[in-house]
Amino acid sequence: MTDLAADRQLDHDVIIVGAGFAGLYMLHRLRSAGFSARVLDAADGVGGTWYWNRYPGARCDVQSFDYSYSFSDELQQDWTWSERYATQPEILRYIEHVAERFDLNRDVQLGATVLGATFDDAHSRWTIKLEGGQHLVSTYVVMATGCLSVPKRPSFAGLSDFKGETYISGEWPHHPVQLSGKRVGIIGTGSTGIQLTTAIAREAGELLLFHRTPNFSLPAQNRPLDEEFTRELKSQYDQRRQEARTTTRGYPVPPILSNLSALEVEHEQRLEVYEAVWRNGGPVFTSSFADLLTNPEANATASEFVRGKISSIVQDPATVEALTRFDHPLGTRRPCVDTGYYETFNQPNVALVDVHDDPIVEITADGIRTASGSYDLDVIVFALGFDAMTGALLRMGITGQDGTTLPERWSDGPSAYLGVAMSGFPNLFTVTGPGSPSVLTNMVMAIEQHVDWITGILEFARDQGTDRVEADADTEKLWTQHVVAIADETLFPRANSWWTGANIPGKPRVFMPYIGGLGQFQQVLDDVRTHGYEGFSFS
Ligand code: NA7
């Protein structure tokens, strides 16, 4: 897009916000397609989610060799993962390696906090306002701002009175945090709290886990990846990736999974499948049978199996009761994937504090006070989750045509055509936005899928001699209705999950991700493209 780049008023064809997996790949693709682009990120380093979430025990729950870029065979052949489930430091090293390898850093502006993005309707361009007063003008903006990038902050009464140290999992400091011998309290038992628990239990003098709602946690069965495994994997990496792109989850699932209903098979056979999937490990447990996420009775058989496993591991009956008082079907909140989580409760220095019926009342100078007791602590760690999927976008100060802001536009809940564009916000694209498979799948695959598609539509616009691309309001509405309708056919909307926004007080309750899966979504994207980007107008 050299014509536009030559226009002095434009700083770049495209400004990309976010230097994580999405923003970096977006930059790479746009550059290759001949667009000028710049990435902005508030952090001091690349990595996005993996830059910020450096808390003890942080790990990805998708297998390392799947949770990685597939766009370059040289990259996937050269890089070797050390474990089945990679730690945060290893993932961050990988992202840094990619940024260097593809010479991306020269177009990444770090320490750049975006305060606003405003569309100039008359000239069809965006002005981005940065903290410090800098303004940048571009034809297009791509929000690669991540689905889990705004941590939920503690708002407990008395928080500032606490004399000890406090940490937020998603803003963990870069310096080493000394926990050995200390009395540590963790609030939150999602994936983050569970990973923190197993890591901190090894170090802390005493660990109290403040537990409100049980989440299902499944064993990772993590292991180092040996040379033979890696050689075999790399010899057929391309086939694996091709298959991954057709799957629901964005990675191939193990052959032990059954296509049958859980209720179609005998009890013994069902247990054999569950045992095999449990031993195999990872988040695929909910795919053990075809109907676990659509039929409550089928799901109950799986929930019962997991409950039995927990009871057989945890010795204290009151702890078992707190850990298994599930209020949602298995898999309708994201299952956690752990290494030794339930075993941790048998350690003498670890205890669960059940705050379900005995809620946290306040934080005091010395620790945490619940309705019925006080707990003295040296350190409190908050692992309260995220304002997921829409949080970063809503905070970005986005104003579209006619001066409508994104928070106004989404006041009844998010809506985006294919999770990628919104009517009234021309030339703005979101990578893995609400209405796309995103967090229900392997995020890196979902990111590549969206980034490739966005690059395609920008090339198409350029080929047409246009520089204004906008989703049609009616088409967007139909898509959003479809996303909700297919989720309603499943058990997912029943749970108070962050997928529905239920974890953030006042957030409209909408099941945000597209549940049809990555492979099916690819067909939709292909269809829209082959019909001349149906549902978009170009001018
Ligand atoms: P989650 O899964 O949203 O978990 C947050 C946890 O924090 C959850 O156990 C909450 O309990 C708890 N929480 C939040 N606010 C409070 C208060 N006020 N009091 C007590 N407990 C509270 O976030 P994660 O970061 O663990 O995981 C997010 C995703 O990251 C995960 O699904 C993976 O995809 C990776 P509640 O359930 O509300 O009772």
Side-chain angles (χ1 to χ4, degrees):
M1 190 159 264
T2 45
D3 293 358
L4 285 178
D7 181 332
R8 261 185 253 131
Q9 293 179 57
L10 279 174
D11 295 298
H12 305 279
D13 297 330
V14 189
I15 288 184
I16 301 159
V17 186
F21 270 109
L24 292 177
Y25 181 49
M26 191 77 243
L27 172 62
H28 179 64
R29 286 291 276 124
L30 288 173
R31 257 194 207 162
S32 312
F35 293 94
S36 78
R38 166 170 290 216
V39 175
L40 308 173
D41 198 299
D44 290 331
V46 298
T49 296
W50 296 105
Y51 171 89
W52 293 104
N53 286 277
R54 50 182 74 220
Y55 58 83
R59 220 176 250 285
C60 184
D61 60 12
V62 175
Q63 299 180 110
S64 55
F65 42 88
D66 291 320
Y67 189 85
S68 49
Y69 290 120
S70 70
F71 69 85
S72 159
D73 192 45
E74 292 76 23
L75 170 65
Q76 67 190 12
Q77 293 299 332
D78 286 354
W79 183 268
T80 297
W81 293 101
S82 66
E83 287 178 272
R84 183 181 180 194
Y85 294 96
T87 61
Q88 175 270 339
E90 190 169 20
I91 298 172
L92 189 57
R93 273 201 304 281
Y94 171 78
I95 299 174
E96 288 167 350
H97 166 78
V98 170
E100 269 172 41
R101 184 181 182 117
F102 295 97
D103 189 24
L104 301 176
N105 290 318
R106 68 185 155 89
D107 284 321
V108 177
Q109 187 174 334
L110 297 170
T113 302
V114 174
L115 297 181
T118 306
F119 186 65
D120 171 354
D121 202 22
H123 301 96
S124 294
R125 57 187 51 168
W126 284 89
T127 301
I128 303 283
K129 184 179 165 199
L130 293 177
E131 198 175 78
Q134 190 187 2
H135 287 81
L136 291 168
V137 179
S138 63
T139 309
Y140 299 104
V141 171
V142 177
M143 291 294 175
T145 43
C147 293
L148 297 170
S149 44
V150 177
K152 186 176 161 189
R153 302 186 144 274
S155 57
F156 298 97
L159 182 59
S160 58
D161 297 339
F162 184 56
K163 288 187 299 199
E165 304 155 58
T166 57
Y167 299 98
I168 293 177
S169 54
E171 294 170 356
W172 200 265
H174 289 220
H175 60 78
V177 174
Q178 177 56 257
L179 297 173
S180 73
K182 293 186 179 165
R183 282 164 303 166
V184 181
I186 298 176
I187 306 180
T189 53
S191 294
T192 305
I194 282 175
Q195 291 181 342
L196 277 160
T197 298
T198 50
I200 293 181
R202 286 195 286 271
E203 205 186 338
E206 201 180 324
L207 174 60
L208 297 181
L209 183 61
F210 292 81
H211 180 279
R212 188 164 71 179
T213 311
N215 283 305
F216 289 91
S217 195
L218 306 166
Q221 312 292 14
N222 190 28
R223 59 168 193 272
L225 297 176
D226 59 32
E227 266 180 44
E228 195 190 329
F229 174 89
T230 302
R231 202 176 319 111
E232 172 82 13
L233 170 84
K234 288 186 178 178
S235 71
Q236 40 188 314
Y237 226 148
D238 266 348
Q239 293 100 293
R240 186 174 179 90
R241 300 297 202 176
Q242 272 170 35
E243 188 191 340
R245 289 187 193 101
T246 66
T247 61
T248 303
R249 291 172 176 271
Y251 51 85
V253 293
I256 42 175
L257 302 177
S258 167
N259 288 327
L260 300 172
S261 159
L263 305 176
E264 259 179 90
V265 300
E266 295 298 323
H267 179 69
E268 289 308 315
Q269 195 187 342
R270 197 160 56 220
L271 288 186
E272 273 172 32
V273 172
Y274 288 147
E275 273 295 342
V277 185
W278 183 269
R279 272 201 307 276
N280 178 70
V284 294
F285 195 86
T286 47
S287 306
S288 303
F289 288 99
D291 55 352
L292 294 188
L293 293 168
T294 48
N295 182 338
E297 281 169 59
N299 190 289
T301 66
S303 301
E304 203 42 50
F305 175 84
V306 176
R307 197 177 277 117
K309 284 285 182 193
I310 299 169
S311 320
S312 72
I313 298 169
V314 180
Q315 288 157 6
D316 174 52
T319 305
V320 171
E321 168 61 19
L323 289 168
T324 56
R325 204 194 297 115
F326 296 112
D327 70 350
H328 60 282
L330 171 65
T332 57
R333 290 175 118 196
R334 186 167 169 122
C336 310
V337 174
D338 73 89
T339 300
Y341 173 60
Y342 293 116
E343 288 82 352
T344 305
F345 294 101
N346 299 333
Q347 284 183 217
N349 64 330
V350 177
L352 182 147
V353 180
D354 190 355
V355 295
H356 185 264
D357 298 324
D358 181 21
I360 295 172
V361 174
E362 62 171 349
I363 304 224
T364 64
D366 298 320
I368 294 177
R369 188 169 77 78
T370 67
S372 76
S374 291
Y375 301 87
D376 286 355
L377 298 165
D378 302 311
V379 179
I380 303 177
V381 177
F382 299 100
L384 306 179
F386 298 87
D387 185 353
M389 303 195 70
T390 56
L393 293 166
L394 289 169
R395 280 166 181 74
M396 203 63 65
I398 300 173
T399 306
Q401 71 189 42
D402 308 334
T404 306
T405 66
L406 192 62
E408 285 165 354
R409 174 72 153 60
W410 281 0
S411 58
D412 294 333
S415 158
Y417 181 36
L418 306 174
V420 81
M422 293 158 287
S423 63
F425 294 81
N427 292 7
L428 178 83
F429 297 92
T430 50
V431 182
T432 63
S436 70
S438 66
V439 289
L440 295 179
T441 67
N442 171 0
M443 277 301 290
V444 185
M445 276 276 157
I447 283 166
E448 288 189 329
Q449 182 183 54
H450 250 174
V451 165
D452 289 345
W453 198 85
I454 292 169
T455 309
I457 197 170
L458 295 189
E459 288 178 304
F460 180 83
R462 180 177 58 190
D463 294 347
Q464 306 284 309
T466 61
D467 63 0
R468 185 176 169 120
V469 182
E470 185 177 357
D472 301 335
D474 290 344
T475 316
E476 178 192 315
K477 197 169 163 195
L478 284 174
W479 177 254
T480 304
Q481 285 167 352
H482 172 66
V483 170
V484 170
I486 59 173
D488 282 343
E489 289 167 17
T490 73
L491 304 179
F492 280 90
R494 298 186 182 197
N496 291 323
S497 67
W498 57 260
W499 291 322
T500 65
N503 64 325
I504 301 294
K507 190 163 170 170
R509 189 177 177 119
V510 177
F511 190 82
M512 295 183 278
Y514 170 72
I515 218 160
L518 192 89
Q520 199 166 312
F521 189 64
Q522 186 62 55
Q523 287 174 20
V524 176
L525 290 177
D526 289 347
D527 247 30
V528 171
R529 191 191 62 235
T530 50
H531 288 92
Y533 292 96
E534 197 171 26
F536 285 89
S537 22
F538 298 83
S539 54

